[in-house]
Amino acid sequence: DRRWGYLFILGSSASGLSLGLAGVFLFPADNPLHQTLCVLILTGMISGATSSLSFVLQAYWIYLGMLSVPVLISLTLTDTHISRLLIGMIFAAIVFALKLTKSHYLRTMNNISLRLKAEAGEIALIKSESAVVRERALLRSMIDAIPYPIFIKDEDSIYVGCNKAVESFLKT
């Protein structure tokens, strides 16, 4: 159901926007130390969301934009030396996060694909095993239906079985 995908994207977007706006409203315009701390926290959130949102790339991209754009605007309006450094730091974190997210996405999709193939292989194996059991039962019933004695030996010439005709002969 695509509705759940859209709701997931909507929820992650709202989360990113609320965190981005919190970064703006809690952003002290005159305190570079607190600005740096705020940016470090937001870049940590960008990095942390990589693993939880990377399996839906659109959700992560929107989250990333909603989280970083308000703070970037606030830093641009501040226009100090430290704000320019923090803008560079945010852009470096974004570039790193986008590369990491793409890699994480590809590995996740590969793992899902391998798991689905393995499950399909397990299902095929179970079906083939049940087919072998049915074929062995059919073969056994055919061997038992033959009225002549049949002995079954293994590769070491040890008797491992016989048909019903041998059993009937030995009982008399």
Side-chain angles (χ1 to χ4, degrees):
D1 190 4
R2 290 182 119 3
R3 181 176 57 129
W4 291 109
Y6 294 132
L7 289 174
F8 180 77
I9 291 172
L10 181 66
S12 60
S13 303
S15 173
L17 183 61
S18 65
L19 292 170
L21 291 175
V24 169
F25 291 123
L26 299 175
F27 199 77
D30 59 344
N31 191 334
L33 181 62
H34 286 120
Q35 289 175 350
T36 305
L37 183 61
C38 184
V39 168
L40 284 173
I41 290 169
L42 290 177
T43 55
M45 290 178 182
I46 288 170
S47 298
T50 299
S51 63
S52 61
L53 296 177
S54 63
F55 61 94
V56 182
L57 285 177
Q58 297 86 353
Y60 183 73
W61 295 336
I62 294 170
Y63 173 84
L64 184 62
M66 297 289 197
L67 180 69
S68 58
V69 168
V71 176
L72 286 171
I73 291 171
S74 181
L75 283 170
T76 304
L77 294 175
T78 305
D79 195 32
T80 63
H81 178 67
I82 193 78
S83 67
R84 287 188 290 278
L85 289 174
L86 293 175
I87 288 171
M89 189 171 107
I90 290 175
F91 276 119
I94 289 172
V95 168
F96 176 75
L98 288 174
K99 287 184 165 231
L100 186 64
T101 302
K102 177 89 177 191
S103 170
H104 197 274
Y105 172 79
L106 292 174
R107 277 183 303 192
T108 301
M109 292 302 121
N110 186 42
N111 288 342
I112 290 170
S113 173
L114 290 173
R115 180 64 185 157
L116 291 174
K117 286 178 185 176
E119 286 179 5
E122 288 176 22
I123 290 169
L125 181 63
I126 289 168
K127 286 181 180 179
S128 67
E129 286 174 349
S130 66
V132 167
V133 167
R134 285 191 309 273
E135 288 175 9
R136 283 187 179 170
L138 176 63
L139 181 61
R140 184 67 201 183
S141 66
M142 289 173 58
I143 289 172
D144 284 340
I146 297 173
Y148 303 105
I150 297 176
F151 295 95
I152 302 168
K153 292 182 178 180
D154 66 7
E155 62 272 355
D156 296 324
S157 294
I158 297 174
Y159 291 102
V160 293
C162 60
N163 68 348
K164 297 281 185 190
V166 173
E167 289 178 9
S168 299
F169 176 74
L170 291 176
K171 285 182 182 175
T172 59

